Amino acid sequence: MGRLAQTDGLTEIQRDILATVREFVDKEIIPVATELEHKDEYPTAIVEGMKRLGLFGLTIPEEYGGLGESLLTYALVVEEIARGWMSVSGIVNTHFIVAHMINAHGTQEQKDHFLPRMAAGEIRGAFSMSEPALGSDVAAISTKGVKDGEFYVLNGQKMWLTNGGTSTLVAVLCRTDEGGSTPYKNMTTFLIEKTPGFGPNPTVPGLTVPGKIEKMGYKGVDTTELVLQDVRIPADRILGGVPGRGFYQMMDGVEVGRVNVAARGCGVARRAFELGISYAQQRTTFGKKIAEHQAIQFKLAEMATKVEAAHQMMVMAARKKDSGERNDLEAGMAKYLASEYCKEVVEDSFRIHGGYGFSKEYEIERLYREAPMLLIGEGTAEIQKMIIGRRLLEEYRIAG
């Protein structure tokens, strides 16, 4: 373990957790990641190992069977997991977002019902906000929930669900037209329990997960659509029990999700740096190791600086959220910086590898296909810049 991406001020418990996860990544993830990724195979054994380590309940309060750890601890764990294989961190991320939303916004009955089984990994969560024609314009959501007595009838099509097939609980954002005068007050989050698998769902009539979306990278984890045709959901499965609060609940989930994506960017970038600096000390050209060429040393220096800067920004954003303060500015900055730097560090490592970087036998090839997902996940760079710009104008608005 090198000196990059170290975090000051951690407790002994946090250090122990990270050491355990790092060992798990080195022994159980890195040796099999490339093979599983090329097969697009779900990492069942790795997921079972994470369940044994208690990672699915890392941030769930102890009273519900979790470890009660902070967002910072979670982000550092995600960084380690993404260093091994980014897809595995995606399996944990959507679960974490849904658990966070239930813990922060759910009714007591919802917390008692879901959180203990989520902590044990028996229930695994998915997060469903996007739609085929939606993109970043959440106000244009078209999936609709209509009240029918003690139920709501849901109709629409959702897109880009990570864990859409393997999950057993999906938090789905719908338009309900009950909350108020603006689109943002007319959205509601529904908690839908389902059976894992693809096709028509046997326990939720009208709900269909058509199949996996084929992707350039981010393989192994399933990314899916979700089709709802007259799906009847009890009113007590509205998150928080009151319609019209869904947009704000989802944005809270996305905010912590942005810290997660930043952490993933940090992990992938760190692995790319490790691969690049290792290869540079093995490959010989013009009679010496390429690491001895000034051009390569300059590249390594730039890569390491970006790894360090992204890590520290991510840590700051997580600590801000843990303190109870508003952190949308810091989360946006961290996500923007870490994802952009990740892309650049991976590409530089790819260049250091030369022609071998283009070969599927080398790990950097996988990282090169994985990094682009971070540029769009939890909001594009352009969305982050909008968030950052608006918050800066709030902070620095001049009088008059």
Side-chain angles (χ1 to χ4, degrees):
M1 182 180 171
R3 65 183 295 171
L4 290 182
Q6 299 299 300
T7 309
D8 293 332
L10 297 181
T11 65
E12 185 176 350
I13 291 175
Q14 287 174 314
R15 290 194 297 270
D16 287 345
I17 289 172
L18 290 175
T20 299
V21 173
R22 192 174 300 120
E23 181 180 12
F24 177 77
V25 168
D26 287 340
K27 290 184 177 180
E28 306 296 333
I29 297 182
I30 290 177
V32 300
T34 296
E35 179 183 358
L36 292 176
E37 197 271 349
H38 287 170
K39 293 179 180 178
D40 198 7
E41 182 176 326
Y42 189 79
T44 302
I46 293 173
V47 170
E48 290 302 314
M50 291 195 298
K51 286 170 64 175
R52 289 192 295 271
L53 292 177
L55 297 187
F56 286 98
L58 188 63
T59 60
I60 293 174
E62 293 181 8
E63 63 189 285
Y64 300 110
L67 297 179
E69 278 294 328
S70 63
L71 176 60
L72 174 62
T73 306
Y74 176 75
L76 295 174
V77 165
V78 166
E79 182 180 24
E80 292 293 339
I81 293 173
R83 173 182 157 266
W85 184 14
M86 192 181 74
S87 293
V88 177
S89 66
I91 292 171
V92 181
N93 179 44
T94 53
H95 175 88
F96 156 73
I97 291 176
V98 175
H100 168 80
M101 289 168 60
I102 292 173
N103 186 53
H105 306 288
T107 65
Q108 190 60 53
E109 184 275 333
Q110 289 167 352
K111 295 178 186 180
D112 292 340
H113 180 76
F114 290 114
L115 291 181
R117 289 185 292 161
M118 295 186 80
E122 296 171 6
I123 289 180
R124 296 218 295 277
F127 173 84
S128 180
M129 182 170 65
S130 189
E131 296 180 359
L134 190 61
S136 301
D137 183 12
V138 182
I141 191 169
S142 61
T143 299
K144 191 165 185 178
V146 177
K147 196 171 189 328
D148 182 17
E150 296 300 312
F151 289 81
Y152 279 78
V153 181
L154 312 185
N155 282 280
Q157 184 179 3
K158 310 299 284 186
M159 192 70 171
W160 307 119
L161 277 76
T162 300
N163 297 322
T166 51
S167 62
T168 54
L169 173 65
V170 187
V172 181
L173 185 65
C174 299
R175 184 163 58 85
T176 48
D177 295 339
E178 291 180 298
S181 56
T182 71
Y184 302 106
K185 294 181 180 180
N186 284 289
M187 300 183 198
T188 300
T189 303
F190 292 90
L191 301 173
I192 303 177
E193 292 185 83
K194 70 179 185 66
T195 302
F198 300 99
N201 199 268
T203 55
V204 185
L207 186 146
T208 302
V209 179
K212 292 197 299 183
I213 297 170
E214 295 295 326
K215 299 164 294 186
M216 175 176 71
Y218 199 39
K219 295 178 180 289
V221 60
D222 48 290
T223 304
T224 75
E225 298 174 74
L226 184 73
V227 179
L228 304 108
Q229 295 179 310
D230 295 330
V231 174
R232 294 177 64 81
I233 300 297
D236 63 7
R237 285 297 174 260
I238 290 175
L239 179 60
V242 179
R245 299 177 180 176
F247 175 79
Y248 306 99
Q249 295 164 346
M250 285 275 176
M251 288 304 104
D252 183 33
V254 167
E255 196 171 280
V256 295
R258 284 181 178 138
V259 176
N260 170 283
V261 172
R264 284 197 254 181
C266 292
V268 173
R270 180 146 58 96
R271 183 59 179 165
F273 172 79
E274 292 170 356
L275 294 171
I277 199 168
S278 175
Y279 184 82
Q281 296 172 78
Q282 299 172 49
R283 175 71 166 165
T284 299
T285 63
F286 303 103
K288 58 183 178 181
K289 304 296 184 185
I290 64 171
E292 297 175 28
H293 293 289
Q294 189 179 66
I296 299 299
Q297 290 178 11
F298 282 1
K299 200 174 289 292
L300 291 170
E302 292 169 359
M303 292 162 66
T305 302
K306 290 172 181 177
V307 167
E308 186 67 19
H311 173 83
Q312 298 303 337
M313 179 68 81
M314 177 269 292
V315 168
M316 180 184 70
R319 282 183 161 147
K320 193 85 169 179
K321 184 72 171 179
D322 284 332
S323 72
E325 298 180 66
R326 182 177 177 181
N327 88 324
D328 54 343
L329 175 65
E330 291 77 11
M333 286 181 169
K335 192 276 173 183
Y336 169 57
L337 190 78
S339 58
E340 294 293 332
Y341 276 0
C342 175
K343 176 201 68 172
E344 294 170 10
V345 171
V346 167
E347 182 169 332
D348 280 343
S349 184
F350 175 84
R351 291 173 183 269
I352 288 171
H353 281 76
Y356 289 103
F358 207 62
S359 167
K360 287 198 171 186
E361 295 181 16
Y362 281 73
E363 190 177 343
I364 190 64
E365 182 271 342
R366 169 170 60 83
L367 270 58
Y368 194 79
R369 288 183 290 102
E370 289 179 338
M373 196 285 291
L374 299 172
L375 300 173
I376 53 177
E378 312 297 3
T380 63
E382 290 72 24
I383 290 296
Q384 307 312 316
K385 290 177 186 178
M386 286 173 56
I387 294 168
I388 294 165
R390 288 169 181 171
R391 286 287 288 115
L392 290 174
L393 286 172
E394 289 179 24
E395 295 287 337
Y396 290 89
R397 192 171 300 282
I398 60 175

